[in-house]
Amino acid sequence: MFYDTEFLDDGRTIDLISIGMVAEDGRELYAVSSQFDQGAVRRHGWLMANVWPSLPILKNPPGQRGMDRIDVTDPDVHPRAQIARMVERFILETPDPQLWAYYSAYDHVAYAQLFGPMSNLPAGLPMQTDDLVTEAKRLGLTPADLPKQEAGHHNAIADARHNLVMAQYLDSVARSR
C-alpha cells in the first residue's frame, strides 16, 4: 500500500492537511482534514504555493473580502477522527498490509498521529512505513533515477499514485538483477 500526506510542520507538531492511499488492488482513499490550522498554512509560503492550490477551496464571492478557505462541504473533507476510521478500514482491507512512501519519516508520523500516540495505533495497522528512497539506495539508485511525476505534485492522492509507479519501477530493477 502506497501513501502520501501533506502536513504543516512547525518544528514541534506535524498537523495533517491531507492523506492519499493507493492499494495494489486499485482501491484508493483521499481525505482532507477539516481541522488543520488554515491560518498557519496561509502564513507558510511553501504550503500556499504548493499544497493549498490542490485542496478543495471555497472561494469568496466576487466583491467580498476575506480569505479563501477549505470547503467543508466537499466529499473529500472530513474531521480527523473520521479520517482515522477511514484509514484504519482501508488498511485492514489488505491482508498483511505494508506501508510505503517517498521520504516516509514525516508521512509516518502524520499517519500515526491520526490515532494519537504511537501506542494507540489500532491492532493490525503497520507501526512503520518502508521508504522508497531507501529501497532505491539499496538497489544502487538515487532519487534522480526514479520515474518523474508529470503533474499533481503535493496533492496527496496524486503523490500516492506516483509512489506506486516508483515502487513498480524499483521492483522491475530488483527482478532484472
Side-chain angles (χ1 to χ4, degrees):
M1 173 162 316
F2 304 89
Y3 78 109
D4 183 67
T5 63
E6 300 303 335
F7 52 85
L8 174 65
D9 168 32
D10 66 5
R12 290 173 305 200
T13 304
I14 297 175
D15 190 10
L16 181 76
I17 296 172
S18 61
I19 187 167
M21 303 186 100
V22 176
E24 289 181 272
D25 64 11
R27 291 176 301 115
E28 294 187 350
L29 170 74
Y30 177 63
V32 176
S33 174
S34 62
Q35 296 177 289
F36 69 89
D37 184 346
Q38 293 179 49
V41 169
R42 282 189 201 95
R43 294 185 298 274
H44 193 290
W46 189 91
L47 289 172
M48 282 302 291
N50 295 286
V51 175
W52 188 259
S54 73
L55 300 173
I57 303 298
L58 186 61
K59 303 283 186 194
N60 288 312
Q64 266 195 342
R65 294 173 48 98
M67 296 295 284
D68 297 345
R69 60 193 180 283
I70 294 297
D71 181 357
V72 296
T73 66
D74 186 282
D76 291 329
V77 179
H78 307 279
R80 286 175 58 87
Q82 185 178 2
I83 294 172
R85 290 189 300 274
M86 293 165 63
V87 166
E88 180 179 10
R89 260 192 317 273
F90 187 82
I91 291 173
L92 291 178
E93 288 176 4
T94 302
D96 189 30
Q98 296 178 12
L99 297 178
W100 285 86
Y102 185 69
Y103 288 104
S104 64
Y106 277 55
D107 293 307
H108 184 80
V109 174
Y111 143 77
Q113 285 183 346
L114 281 169
F115 306 96
M118 181 73 94
S119 60
N120 284 4
L121 269 176
L125 295 193
M127 293 186 72
Q128 76 155 77
T129 297
D130 292 307
D131 188 70
L132 293 164
V133 174
T134 301
E135 179 63 3
K137 286 179 185 177
R138 187 186 75 77
L139 293 169
L141 304 172
T142 69
D145 297 321
L146 298 175
K148 304 300 177 254
Q149 184 173 345
E150 298 301 320
H153 292 280
H154 309 299
N155 172 286
I157 191 64
D159 291 351
R161 290 173 184 145
H162 187 66
N163 287 347
L164 173 58
V165 168
M166 287 191 291
Q168 291 167 335
Y169 172 76
L170 292 171
D171 284 348
S172 72
V173 169
R175 280 193 307 275
S176 71
R177 294 185 173 182

